[in-house]
């Protein structure tokens, strides 16, 4: 599915992944939860993902020794996750991001008692 677009080659390949799956301009999790640190988002994301998951399929991935990017289809909607030792980023459409944010906020409220 790759072509000769510069976005499909290192180091710009995440842009190609976003483009191929309709996620250019999608919402960024860190922007939706600005009071959360990157480490808080990283630690809480996968439990929240599992909490809302009814179906998921891995659509595309590019991993190296220190992490990488993947696009999955969560509950029928694409989601981009970039996770390595320097960075953690999640991008998704509004409906899916709303569900993730609600799950993350619910987790935080439950952990604080």
């Amino acid at each position: 599915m790759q072509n000769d677009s510069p976005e499909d080659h290192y180091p710009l390949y995440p842009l190609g992944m976003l483009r191929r799956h309709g996620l250019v301009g999608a919402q960024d999790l860190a922007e939706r939860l600005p009071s959360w640190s990157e480490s808080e988002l990283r630690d809480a994301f996968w439990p929240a993902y599992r909490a809302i998951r009814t179906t998921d399929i891995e659509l595309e991935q590019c991993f190296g020794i220190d992490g990488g990017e993947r696009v999955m289809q969560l509950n029928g909607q694409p989601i981009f996750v970039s996770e390595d030792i320097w960075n953690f980023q999640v991008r998704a459409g509004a409906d899916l991001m709303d569900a993730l944010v609600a799950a993350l906020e619910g987790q935080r409220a439950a952990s604080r008692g």
Side-chain angles (χ1 to χ4, degrees), residues 51-62:
I52 66 168
R53 177 184 64 203
T54 54
T55 63
D56 70 342
I57 300 168
E58 187 143 328
L59 300 175
E60 186 173 356
Q61 66 177 354
C62 187

Side-chain angles (χ1 to χ4, degrees), residues 5-78:
S5 170
E7 294 176 349
D8 292 323
H9 302 282
Y10 182 84
L12 299 177
Y13 61 86
L15 298 174
M17 293 172 87
L18 292 169
R19 185 190 72 245
R20 284 189 294 280
H21 299 285
L23 292 170
V24 172
Q27 294 185 8
D28 186 298
L29 183 60
E31 291 174 3
R32 287 287 305 270
L33 295 170
S35 66
W36 291 51
S37 71
E38 186 173 298
S39 63
E40 288 173 317
L41 289 172
R42 184 187 299 264
D43 292 344
F45 172 74
W46 290 109
Y49 179 99
R50 288 187 295 274
I52 66 168
R53 177 184 64 203
T54 54
T55 63
D56 70 342
I57 300 168
E58 187 143 328
L59 300 175
E60 186 173 356
Q61 66 177 354
C62 187
F63 284 98
I65 195 166
D66 53 9
E69 289 76 31
R70 66 176 84 179
V71 177
M72 294 152 308
Q73 191 173 49
L74 175 60
N75 304 339
Q77 300 173 62

